[in-house]
Amino acid sequence: MPMNKPRFRGLLEDWPAKVLSLLGAAGLFFFYQLNRLEERPFSVPLTVRTNGRYVPASQYPRTVRLVLRGESDAIFAIPENDLVATLDLAGFTSPGVWRVPVRVERRGSAVGIDPLEVSVEPSEVAISIEERVTREVAVTPSFRGYLEPGYELAGFTLVPDRVQVAGPSGLMAGVTDAVTDPVELSGKSGDFTVRVRLQPRDSLLELVSADVVEFSAEVRKAIVFKTFQDLAIFPSGLAPGLSLRTPLPAGSVRVSASRLELEAFVPGQDTLVADLSGITGPGVYTVAIVPRFPEGFQVESWLPMVGTVSIERAPEAPRAEGVP
C-alpha cells in the first residue's frame, strides 16, 4: 500500500488540467458523433383522434413536416408510414379553441433505432372543436361536358338519393346536400348508368351512410319549337275542269322536333294543304286546311284550320282552226 501513494499523488498532480483535458476529449467525441448524423425531412398525414362526440370545427393542417436525425443508413431505411403523426382530441369534452400538441408515434422499423431524433413542424395546432351533429341530406349530381349535339338530359335518378352527413354543429346548420363527383356527359346520345363518389361540401364533414351512388340518366333528342309563317296553302285534289276563282291566303304552323331535324327542314309547296277533293262543281265551299310534315315532327297548332274557297269552271282552251 505505501508503494502506491506516490502513484496516487501523481494522479492528483495538476488535476484541473487533466479534468479539462478529459472534458475536451469528451466534447470532441460528442461533436464528432454529432457531425456524423444526417437529416431526412419528409411530410406525413396528420391523423385526428376524437371521442366521437366532439369534432374539429376549424381547418387544421392535413400534413406535418418531420425531420429525422440519425445515422444515414438507419434513417433512410425507415418507411414513411412507420412514423404516425397524431392530434389527439379524445380527452376534450366541451366546445372551445384549444392548443393541442402533435404527437409522433414510432412503429415497425422506426422502433429501437439509436441515435434517432424526430422533430415535427408544427409542434402544436390551435383548433376549434364543436359537438358532432348527424343529418340526412339530399344528393345533388354535378356534370362535366356536353351530350352529343341535338340531345338533352330528359331526367335522372340517384340511388340512394339521400345520405347521412356528420360534422360540427355550426357547419352542419348550413348543410343541405352532398354533391357527386362530376358525371361525364361527353359523347352520350342514349340512356346510361354510372357509379359516382360523393363529395361533402366541406372537408370537415363526414359521409356516414354512403359515399357512392348510382346515377341513371334518360337521354332524349332535344325538342325545339318553331313557328313557320307566311306558308302558301297548296290546293290539292281539285277535279279537272274546275279552278279557284281567287288564290288561298297564307298560313302558319307551329311544330316541335329535334334541333337537328328542324335545322335540316325546308318547307315545300305542300307543307300546308287545302283539301278540295270533295268539290264536284262551281260554288263557294268551306274546306279543311291540313299541315303535312315529315315523320318526327309534332304539329302543335296551325292557322287557318279551315278556309273558304270560290270554285268556277275552268275556261276551255281555244280550239285551233281546222280542228273539229
Side-chain angles (χ1 to χ4, degrees):
M1 186 70 179
M3 295 177 61
N4 293 332
K5 285 183 178 181
R7 184 179 301 173
F8 181 72
R9 291 193 188 97
L11 289 173
L12 293 178
E13 290 178 359
D14 299 327
W15 66 268
K18 292 178 179 179
V19 170
L20 290 174
S21 297
L22 286 173
L23 291 175
L28 288 173
F29 178 77
F30 173 78
F31 283 114
Y32 170 73
Q33 290 294 101
L34 196 64
N35 288 332
R36 289 180 59 237
L37 302 182
E38 294 192 22
E39 291 186 348
R40 178 193 172 191
F42 57 90
S43 295
V44 297
L46 178 60
T47 301
V48 176
R49 293 176 183 166
T50 71
N51 55 22
R53 183 179 176 187
Y54 290 91
V55 293
S58 61
Q59 295 296 335
Y60 57 88
R62 301 296 167 152
T63 61
V64 294
R65 185 174 184 269
L66 300 183
V67 177
L68 305 186
R69 186 174 177 80
E71 294 183 354
S72 175
D73 293 343
I75 63 174
F76 284 97
I78 300 174
E80 294 182 3
N81 56 7
D82 278 353
L83 293 162
V84 180
T86 305
L87 206 61
D88 192 354
L89 306 180
F92 295 92
T93 57
S94 61
V97 179
W98 311 90
R99 297 195 71 84
V100 184
V102 178
R103 299 176 180 175
V104 179
E105 179 185 354
R106 302 184 190 184
R107 296 179 181 177
S109 62
V111 177
I113 294 180
D114 189 31
L116 178 61
E117 300 174 12
V118 181
S119 60
V120 57
E121 179 63 36
S123 60
E124 63 177 14
V125 173
I127 189 168
S128 171
I129 64 172
E130 293 177 357
E131 190 171 3
R132 183 176 183 263
V133 172
T134 302
R135 180 180 298 124
E136 187 177 75
V137 298
V139 176
T140 300
S142 65
F143 301 101
R144 179 174 58 208
Y146 300 93
L147 296 171
E148 285 288 287
Y151 290 85
E152 64 182 0
L153 187 62
F156 62 84
T157 58
L158 291 159
V159 179
D161 60 356
R162 298 184 69 84
V163 294
Q164 287 188 327
V165 178
S169 57
L171 185 59
M172 285 296 296
V175 175
T176 58
D177 65 353
V179 67
T180 68
D181 281 345
V183 176
E184 184 62 63
L185 299 180
S186 299
K188 301 290 195 306
S189 59
D191 297 351
F192 66 95
T193 298
V194 292
R195 290 175 61 83
V196 287
R197 299 193 68 83
L198 291 174
Q199 295 294 339
R201 292 288 187 180
D202 192 282
S203 60
L204 295 175
L205 300 177
E206 170 193 3
L207 293 164
V208 178
S209 59
D211 60 359
V212 175
V213 298
E214 185 175 88
F215 174 88
S216 298
E218 298 177 25
V219 178
R220 299 289 182 266
K221 287 184 177 181
I223 300 301
V224 179
F225 292 86
K226 184 174 181 178
T227 299
F228 293 93
Q229 302 278 5
D230 298 323
L231 294 176
I233 299 177
F234 178 72
S236 173
L238 187 60
L242 299 177
S243 66
L244 287 171
R245 186 185 300 273
T246 57
L248 290 165
S252 64
V253 183
R254 179 174 172 80
V255 298
S256 61
S258 74
R259 187 182 303 277
L260 293 178
E261 289 170 326
L262 276 175
E263 289 176 352
F265 177 74
V266 178
Q269 66 172 4
D270 58 347
T271 300
L272 204 54
V273 174
D275 185 7
L276 309 182
S277 60
I279 298 175
T280 59
V284 177
Y285 300 88
T286 299
V287 296
I289 309 296
V290 181
R292 293 179 180 175
F293 280 79
E295 184 179 354
F297 284 72
Q298 179 68 42
V299 177
E300 305 295 329
S301 62
W302 71 95
L303 289 174
M305 300 182 71
V306 294
T308 301
V309 295
S310 179
I311 303 299
E312 63 181 3
R313 292 198 179 278
E316 292 186 5
R319 295 182 180 181
E321 290 185 4
V323 176

